[in-house]
């Protein structure tokens, strides 16, 4: 016999969870005329011992059970009887049963009784309530039909007519094909023949249109039993059917929702999430699905919480995010990314405004609120055969994100209320994913905006370098990182190049990057050597990390960063650089040969390894040398070793004859993927040297006469450069700087003038102490020299040098001199 599971009545029962009941068929007088194997196994009596005898003789009722006459009387009045009884097995032990007696009708108004009995002990004992533990067959409206060996209907109960709409008079002497679709009837008859041949019980599901609900196809679970006569010959096959439409639809709904949890929101990309919702709905729920989002949503901008209150308010503009259809012709007409402008009084604008779903089970294609104000699209809907419609608003955090439209044309069953509930559940899940994607897009946009605002908008290398740069943010899955770069003009026509990378991604990393870039600029203005600058920057990173760690309500701090700092001097054509855990620069000589200099790596910033000092290296770079600074995102990836990335970079940079902007693009195009997992930053600089005629220097004695010598030398040089109008001002600056050098140092003094984008005056001495401006009193005779220099120059300052310091001051040059 077919083994089936048993489920408490309080839970939904699946088709194959119908209890395997013992069946007996009685005539109008209560004589057993048919018996089953299940009945023999349950009570111990074989068909030969039962058929032809009274049911009361074979199954004597317990004292508290109704008598046979009461059974008959109640059965005729109520078309059957059901309840719990106790019977005795053939060997004498008692069995507690659920028993159901159903009235069957035959031709010429004949009647018979079908008795189904199930052992309560085999049912689930999840509750002590016996009423709940009784058999499904004792409570559900069960349709019963009996067919002869030729599969013609001979007996039937009234419930069967409610199942498939066929009156009993039209069943007698006919097969299933006369009451069910051919495919379903053929499948059921195959099962019935197997039951007649084997004598076993089998369960099968089929579909039919219920007479009580012609708008929806129902699912039925039928159990088939073989009735035997006294000698064990197959007498008939009995079918007992239960409407399991609710169970089936519940399972289908759970299956769709289960798929939704894995198929909707697979990425944090808004438009893709909209398409995932449409793809899931077709064909599981609808034949056509459209998802339209507020136009601002795909761009990471929150739509306004309100969409208008009056019917004539202008509805928001939508953008089509998802389209799916069983008809390829429809897909060609419904384009993604299309801008949609709902008419103010249209159904779609109303759904957006009211945030209430709309269900049109049977769609009138010539009238109703759905009619589009576009005749072409309206006719397209009519031609597609759409007959049922649902429109569901997409909302998150009390804010309208868009709407979803579901239609049926191929599926004949119209949408019902439970379909709308399922659609709303799917849309709710999609709305959560869309809201997450929207928040992520907003945060990423803010981080990108912050990062781009913090990065230099324009980089220039002055007279020393031609520069170009590229910044490629990380892809959507990894977010914005903390890369930064900078080009800083220093005194004496020198230029500093900086590239750094903060650990982490997102706004926190971008903010930390901005703080470090500001710190580097501040330290660069102090004219520190590269290794000293990195040491101070290391202390800054550690302090920032400690301050962030002390604020528990803040985001976790971004600890650690790498940095490469280089200073190029166009006068000496030498470059001094130092790095803190950062990849080395690439250097391409004028002949196109790429090298990566061997220089101390240094520890990343902020790791507390201050005992390991940073070191600087100095390289001589011929004019036209290409210097490339970059972050690890350019040369590292999960799929290849860093050496492969360095070789790829060197090969791309070997095309050094290209313009720097073009070369930047060529290098970025060599990336293995255009959506890198980490930010990519590239800074290219091609060196230029100052002509000897642009630099003039003099060694001066450390005595008062040096002031006059310096003034005369500066005047002659400016006249030679054609800067006569600057002579007076420059002589005053030279006088003050040389005077201070004589007063506060004891060694030799050196004066240097540099004509580049500005006119620079430098005075070197052997005193390492840097000058500080003072605020002299009215009666003070000294202390006004640096104040005068500050007033006469564009800017001034000092820097450390080997064996002392350099004090410098700059004056702006007229445009003619710059052009020369």
């Amino acid at each position: 016999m077919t083994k089936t599971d048993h489920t408490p009545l309080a839970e939904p029962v699946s088709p194959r969870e119908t209890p395997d009941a013992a069946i007996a068929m009685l005539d109008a007088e209560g004589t057993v005329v048919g018996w089953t194997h299940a009945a023999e196994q349950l009570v111990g009596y074989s068909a030969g011992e039962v058929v032809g005898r009274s049911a009361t003789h074979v199954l004597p009722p317990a004292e508290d059970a109704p008598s046979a006459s009461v059974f008959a009387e109640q059965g005729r009045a109520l078309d059957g009887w059901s309840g719990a009884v106790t019977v005795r097995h053939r060997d004498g032990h008692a069995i507690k049963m659920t028993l159901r007696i159903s009235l069957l009708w035959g031709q010429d108004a004949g009647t018979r009784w079908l008795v189904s009995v199930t052992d309560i002990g085999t049912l689930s004992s999840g509750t002590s309530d016996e009423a709940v533990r009784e058999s499904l067959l004792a409570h559900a409206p069960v349709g019963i039909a009996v067919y002869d060996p030729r599969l013609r209907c001979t007996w039937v109960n009234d419930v069967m007519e409610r199942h498939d709409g066929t009156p009993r008079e039209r069943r007698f002497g006919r097969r299933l094909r006369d009451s069910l679709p051919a495919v379903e009837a053929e499948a059921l008859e195959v099962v019935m023949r197997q039951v007649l041949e084997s004598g076993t019980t089998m369960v099968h599901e089929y579909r039919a249109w219920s007479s009580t609900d012609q708008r929806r196809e129902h699912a039925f679970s039928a159990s088939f039993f073989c009735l035997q006569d006294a000698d064990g010959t197959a007498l008939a096959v009995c079918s007992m059917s239960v409407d399991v439409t609710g169970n089936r639809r519940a399972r289908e709904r759970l299956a769709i929702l289960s798929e939704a949890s894995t198929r909707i929101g697979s990425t944090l990309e808004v438009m893709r999430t909209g398409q995932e919702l449409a793809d899931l709905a077709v064909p599981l729920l609808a034949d056509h699905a459209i998802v339209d989002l507020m136009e601002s949503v795909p761009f990471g901008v929150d739509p306004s919480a309100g969409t208008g209150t009056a019917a004539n308010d202008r509805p928001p503009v939508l953008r089509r995010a998802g389209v799916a259809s069983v008809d390829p012709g429809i897909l060609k007409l419904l384009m993604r990314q299309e801008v949609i402008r709902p008419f103010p009084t249209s159904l779609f604008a109303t759904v957006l405004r009211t945030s209430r779903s709309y269900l049109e089970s049977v769609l009138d294609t010539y009238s109703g609120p759905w009619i589009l104000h576009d005749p072409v699209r309206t006719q397209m809907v009519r031609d597609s055969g759409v007959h049922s419609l649902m429109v569901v608003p997409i909302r998150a955090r009390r804010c309208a994100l868009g709407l979803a439209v579901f239609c049926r044309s191929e599926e004949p069953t119209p949408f019902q209320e439970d379909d709308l509930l399922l659609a709303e559940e799917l849309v709710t899940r999609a709305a959560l994913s869309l809201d997450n994607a929207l928040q992520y897009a907003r945060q990423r946009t803010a981080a990108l905006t912050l990062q781009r605002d913090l990065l230099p908008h324009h980089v220039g290398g002055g007279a020393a370098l031609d520069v170009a740069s590229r910044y490629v943010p990380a892809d959507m899955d990894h977010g914005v990182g903390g890369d930064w770069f900078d080009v800083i003009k220093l005194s004496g026509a020198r230029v500093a190049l900086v590239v750094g990378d903060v650990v982490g991604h997102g706004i926190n990393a971008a903010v930390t990057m901005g703080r470090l870039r500001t710190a580097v600029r501040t330290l660069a203005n102090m004219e520190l050597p590269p290794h000293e600058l990195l040491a101070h920057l290391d202390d800054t990173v550690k302090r920032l990390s400690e301050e962030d760690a002390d604020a528990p309500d803040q985001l976790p701090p971004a600890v650690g960063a790498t940095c490469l700092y280089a200073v190029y001097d166009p006068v000496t054509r030498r470059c001094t650089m130092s790095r803190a855990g950062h990849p080395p620069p690439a250097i391409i000589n004028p002949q196109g040969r790429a090298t990566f200099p061997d220089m101390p790596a240094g520890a990343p910033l902020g790791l507390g390894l201050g005992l390991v000092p940073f070191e600087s290296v100095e390289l001589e770079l011929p004019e036209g040398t290409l210097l490339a600074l970059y972050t690890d995102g350019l040369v590292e990836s999960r799929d290849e070793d860093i050496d492969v990335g360095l070789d790829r970079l060197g090969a791309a940079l070997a095309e050094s004859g290209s313009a720097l902007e073009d070369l930047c693009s060529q290098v970025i195009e060599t990336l293995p993927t255009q959506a890198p997992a980490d930010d990519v930053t590239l800074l290219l600089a091609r060196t230029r040297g100052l002509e000897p005629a642009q630099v003039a220097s003099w060694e001066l004695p450390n005595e008062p006469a040096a002031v006059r010598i310096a003034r005369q030398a500066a005047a002659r040089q400016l006249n030679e450069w054609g800067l006569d109008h600057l002579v007076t001002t420059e002589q005053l600056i030279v006088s003050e700087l040389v005077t201070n050098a004589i007063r506060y140092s004891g060694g030799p003094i050196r004066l240097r003038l540099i004509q580049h984008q500005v006119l620079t005056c430098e005075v070197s001495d052997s005193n390492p102490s840097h000058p500080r401006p003072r605020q002299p009193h009215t009666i003070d005779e000294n202390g006004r020299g640096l104040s005068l220099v500050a007033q006469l120059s564009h800017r001034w300052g000092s820097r450390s040098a080997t064996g002392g310091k350099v004090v410098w001051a700059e004056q702006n040059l007229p445009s003619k001199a710059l052009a020369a």
Side-chain angles (χ1 to χ4, degrees):
M1 297 179 62
T2 301
K3 187 178 186 299
T4 56
D5 298 328
H6 304 294
T7 307
L9 296 178
E11 301 176 2
V13 180
S14 70
R16 294 192 176 274
E17 289 172 339
T18 303
D20 195 4
I23 303 296
M25 190 172 182
L26 315 179
D27 63 15
E29 286 72 33
T31 301
V32 178
V33 295
W35 196 248
T36 63
H37 281 306
E40 179 179 351
Q41 291 190 356
L42 185 61
V43 298
Y45 293 97
S46 66
E49 296 173 300
V50 174
V51 176
R53 306 183 67 178
S54 171
T56 58
H57 176 76
V58 178
L59 301 174
E63 296 180 359
D64 57 346
S67 63
S69 60
V70 173
F71 274 148
E73 182 180 346
Q74 292 179 342
R76 288 190 177 89
L78 303 174
D79 290 339
W81 182 93
S82 64
V85 297
T86 301
V87 300
R88 297 202 175 272
H89 191 271
R90 188 172 183 275
D91 62 11
H93 74 273
I95 307 174
K96 196 164 188 179
M97 307 272 190
T98 61
L99 179 144
R100 178 168 187 152
I101 301 177
S102 303
L103 178 62
L104 303 182
W105 299 94
Q107 287 182 312
D108 303 325
T111 60
R112 282 195 177 179
W113 302 96
L114 192 82
V115 181
S116 58
V117 183
T118 304
D119 183 357
I120 290 179
T122 65
L123 298 178
S124 171
S125 58
T127 174
S128 59
D129 188 348
E130 293 183 357
V132 174
R133 294 170 55 204
E134 288 178 357
S135 169
L136 169 69
L137 300 179
H139 290 79
V142 180
I144 303 174
V146 178
Y147 302 88
D148 64 18
R150 296 176 61 183
L151 304 185
R152 296 173 301 184
C153 181
T154 55
W155 304 92
V156 67
N157 72 344
D158 292 333
V159 176
M160 283 300 297
E161 181 177 347
R162 299 202 298 270
H163 281 187
D164 58 20
T166 304
R168 63 173 182 251
E169 293 79 9
R170 290 177 50 192
R171 293 179 184 273
F172 298 132
R174 297 181 180 181
R175 295 171 59 174
L176 283 172
R177 67 185 62 175
D178 296 316
S179 57
L180 292 177
V183 175
E184 298 286 3
E186 182 178 353
L188 289 174
E189 288 189 351
V190 169
V191 175
M192 293 165 68
R193 290 191 186 95
Q194 292 175 351
V195 171
L196 286 171
E197 293 171 2
S198 64
T200 58
T201 300
M202 301 186 71
V203 180
H204 188 78
E205 283 192 6
Y206 68 95
R207 294 176 178 269
W209 293 90
S210 170
S211 62
T212 60
D213 186 3
Q214 291 292 337
R215 301 172 69 182
R216 175 188 298 173
E217 192 177 47
H218 282 235
F220 296 91
S221 177
S223 298
F224 295 93
F225 307 87
C226 180
L227 294 174
Q228 300 173 329
D229 59 13
D231 60 3
T233 303
L235 176 66
V237 59
C238 175
S239 166
M240 304 181 71
S241 303
V242 180
D243 190 336
V244 293
T245 304
N247 290 355
R248 171 183 283 272
R249 293 186 65 81
R251 292 198 308 273
E252 291 174 347
R253 176 173 178 172
L254 289 174
I256 294 175
L257 294 179
S258 178
E259 282 209 44
S261 63
T262 58
R263 291 177 54 183
I264 297 179
S266 62
T267 68
L268 288 172
E269 202 278 313
V270 172
M271 297 295 280
R272 181 169 177 178
T273 300
Q275 184 60 47
E276 288 172 343
L277 172 58
D279 289 338
L280 177 68
V282 177
L284 294 180
L285 175 63
D287 295 324
H288 320 283
I290 298 172
V291 179
D292 293 338
L293 300 177
M294 298 289 192
E295 190 177 32
S296 62
V297 171
F299 302 102
V301 179
D302 266 329
S304 58
T307 58
T309 55
N312 58 355
D313 284 346
R314 178 176 297 176
V317 177
L318 303 174
R319 186 173 293 273
R320 186 139 294 159
V323 176
S325 175
V326 296
D327 183 354
I330 297 294
L331 290 177
K332 294 179 181 178
L333 297 173
L334 301 174
M335 297 178 293
R336 289 191 72 209
Q337 300 285 350
E338 181 183 4
V339 174
I340 309 298
R341 303 179 186 276
F343 198 76
T345 58
S346 69
L347 165 65
F348 309 103
T350 301
V351 169
L352 282 173
R353 186 173 60 252
T354 63
S355 297
R356 295 178 181 175
S357 300
Y358 178 84
L359 169 64
E360 184 98 14
S361 292
V362 180
L363 188 67
D364 184 347
T365 57
Y366 288 92
S367 64
W370 75 271
I371 293 293
L372 306 175
H373 292 267
D374 181 344
V376 175
R377 292 181 182 270
T378 300
Q379 189 59 44
M380 179 188 69
V381 173
R382 291 172 180 153
D383 294 341
S384 69
V386 170
H387 62 80
S388 195
L389 171 73
M390 294 188 297
V391 183
V392 181
I394 305 175
R395 293 182 61 83
R397 292 182 291 116
R398 295 185 293 181
C399 185
L401 302 181
L403 53 82
V405 181
F406 306 97
C407 306
R408 279 183 178 172
S409 58
E410 304 293 329
E411 168 63 45
T413 306
F415 288 125
Q416 304 295 324
E417 288 293 337
D418 57 346
D419 293 312
L420 181 61
L421 293 175
L422 176 58
E424 290 176 335
E425 179 66 24
L426 291 177
V427 169
T428 297
R429 297 192 178 203
L432 292 175
S433 298
L434 286 169
D435 187 51
N436 290 336
L438 179 61
Q439 292 189 54
Y440 177 81
R442 185 173 61 252
Q443 292 176 3
R444 185 173 187 273
T445 300
L448 275 173
T449 302
L450 175 64
Q451 189 173 39
R452 285 171 175 160
D453 286 345
L454 293 174
L455 290 175
H457 295 178
H458 172 74
V459 290
L465 300 168
D466 292 324
V467 295
S469 62
R470 283 291 185 278
Y471 167 67
V472 180
D475 64 5
M476 290 294 290
D477 293 332
H478 296 82
V480 180
D483 284 13
W484 91 90
F485 65 93
D486 212 342
V487 180
I488 307 170
K489 294 180 182 179
L490 304 177
S491 63
R494 297 171 308 129
V495 176
L497 302 173
V498 190
V499 168
D501 186 0
V502 174
V503 173
H505 295 88
I507 292 181
N508 200 35
V511 170
T512 303
M513 173 273 291
R515 297 161 85 180
L516 294 188
R517 178 172 177 254
T518 302
V520 169
R521 276 194 161 264
T522 302
L523 294 171
N525 288 335
M526 295 173 63
E527 304 273 3
L528 296 173
H531 63 280
E532 290 187 22
L533 183 143
L534 291 182
H536 285 285
L537 188 62
D538 183 40
D539 291 336
T540 300
V541 174
K542 286 187 288 187
R543 286 198 304 271
L544 291 176
S545 299
E546 291 169 357
E547 291 172 0
D548 290 341
D550 291 338
D553 57 334
Q554 299 297 319
L555 294 173
V559 179
T562 64
C563 183
L564 174 64
Y565 184 80
V567 176
Y568 174 69
D569 187 342
V571 177
T572 63
R573 294 180 172 84
R574 301 189 71 82
C575 182
T576 307
M577 61 186 73
S578 182
R579 61 182 178 133
H582 202 83
I587 299 178
I588 297 85
N589 65 19
Q591 291 73 41
R593 181 174 177 269
T595 59
F596 296 88
D598 184 13
M599 55 185 295
L605 303 170
L607 299 186
L609 302 179
L611 296 178
V612 181
F614 299 101
E615 299 181 47
S616 292
V617 297
E618 188 175 76
L619 303 173
E620 185 172 350
L621 304 179
E623 186 170 1
T625 298
L626 182 64
L627 194 61
L629 282 66
Y630 53 91
T631 54
D632 54 6
L634 184 65
V635 294
E636 290 185 4
S637 70
R638 298 174 181 174
D639 303 325
E640 63 182 22
D641 188 77
I642 186 173
D643 291 336
V644 177
L646 291 175
D647 292 342
R648 184 181 65 247
L649 175 61
L653 292 173
E655 302 292 333
S656 55
S658 304
L660 291 188
E661 288 293 339
D662 296 337
L663 191 56
C664 279
S665 300
Q666 294 170 19
V667 171
I668 296 302
E669 289 172 359
T670 65
L671 288 171
T673 172
Q674 295 306 306
D678 196 5
D679 285 12
V680 171
T681 297
L682 175 64
L683 178 61
L684 297 183
R686 182 172 285 133
T687 62
R688 293 189 296 188
L690 295 183
E691 298 293 334
Q694 293 179 267
V695 182
S697 62
W698 301 268
E699 297 292 337
L700 302 174
N702 194 334
E703 58 185 40
V707 176
R708 178 179 55 82
I709 297 173
R711 287 169 57 89
Q712 292 175 350
R716 286 195 302 271
Q717 187 61 55
L718 264 61
N719 288 330
E720 185 178 332
W721 284 340
L723 302 176
D724 309 59
H725 61 288
L726 295 179
V727 170
T728 302
T729 304
E730 191 69 10
Q731 284 184 321
L732 289 173
I733 293 174
V734 168
S735 296
E736 294 298 332
L737 296 184
V738 172
T739 299
N740 279 347
I742 295 172
R743 180 175 301 165
Y744 297 109
S745 69
I749 300 171
R750 186 168 181 267
L751 170 65
R752 185 169 73 167
L753 298 180
I754 306 173
Q755 179 199 14
H756 51 109
Q757 291 184 327
V758 294
L759 175 64
T760 302
C761 171
E762 295 181 347
V763 175
S764 306
D765 61 51
S766 59
N767 187 349
S769 299
H770 291 258
R772 295 181 180 179
R774 294 188 300 169
Q775 296 293 331
H777 295 291
T778 305
I779 61 174
D780 289 342
E781 296 182 1
N782 300 315
R784 294 181 176 84
L786 291 179
S787 297
L788 179 61
V789 170
Q791 294 175 16
L792 295 175
S793 62
H794 170 64
R795 65 172 188 152
W796 76 277
S798 65
R799 65 177 184 270
S800 299
T802 303
K805 68 176 182 296
V806 176
V807 182
W808 54 269
E810 295 178 350
Q811 288 193 78
N812 290 326
L813 294 178
S815 57
K816 291 183 179 180
L818 292 176

